[in-house]
Amino acid sequence: VSDCVVSAADPDHVIIATGQGGLFETRDGGGTWSVMRWFGESLKKILVNPESSFKEIYIVTERGKIWKTIDGGKNWIDVMVALERVRQNERT
């Protein structure tokens, strides 16, 4: 486990990141765990917007990629790819 975050609103809701690239979640204080997503590389850091009710989550990988979800992990975007698209649109 490389990082762990606990919900301030619900201490039974915990997310952990692993060096193998797995992002796991429990909602019952660790009794059961489910896979939120597997990433293609080691995960280093989890950041959660404290005002988002654990919906807006950022993941930082070992290679510096940043992934973001705003729906609690159902959908993810590669922030670096999104930023590059914005930069390309600004040039045109």
Side-chain angles (χ1 to χ4, degrees):
V1 175
S2 54
D3 200 10
C4 174
V5 292
V6 179
S7 169
D10 178 6
D12 287 337
H13 190 181
V14 180
I15 299 173
I16 62 170
T18 70
Q20 293 79 24
L23 190 65
F24 297 90
E25 173 180 52
T26 181
R27 292 178 178 266
D28 60 8
T32 58
W33 292 87
S34 61
V35 175
M36 290 182 76
R37 178 169 174 159
W38 280 102
F39 293 84
E41 60 188 286
S42 177
L43 305 180
K44 292 298 176 190
K45 188 73 180 160
I46 305 169
L47 304 162
V48 178
N49 178 344
E51 297 178 9
S52 72
S53 300
F54 245 44
K55 298 288 184 197
E56 185 177 352
I57 305 165
Y58 296 84
I59 302 300
V60 181
T61 71
E62 182 176 52
R63 295 183 188 140
K65 283 189 176 185
I66 302 170
W67 291 86
K68 175 185 178 181
T69 182
I70 58 171
D71 58 12
K74 292 180 184 123
N75 298 286
W76 293 87
I77 63 165
D78 182 334
V79 173
M80 305 309 280
V81 169
L83 287 173
E84 184 57 34
R85 286 185 190 142
V86 169
R87 286 186 196 121
Q88 288 176 355
N89 287 339
E90 288 177 348
R91 292 182 201 141
T92 59

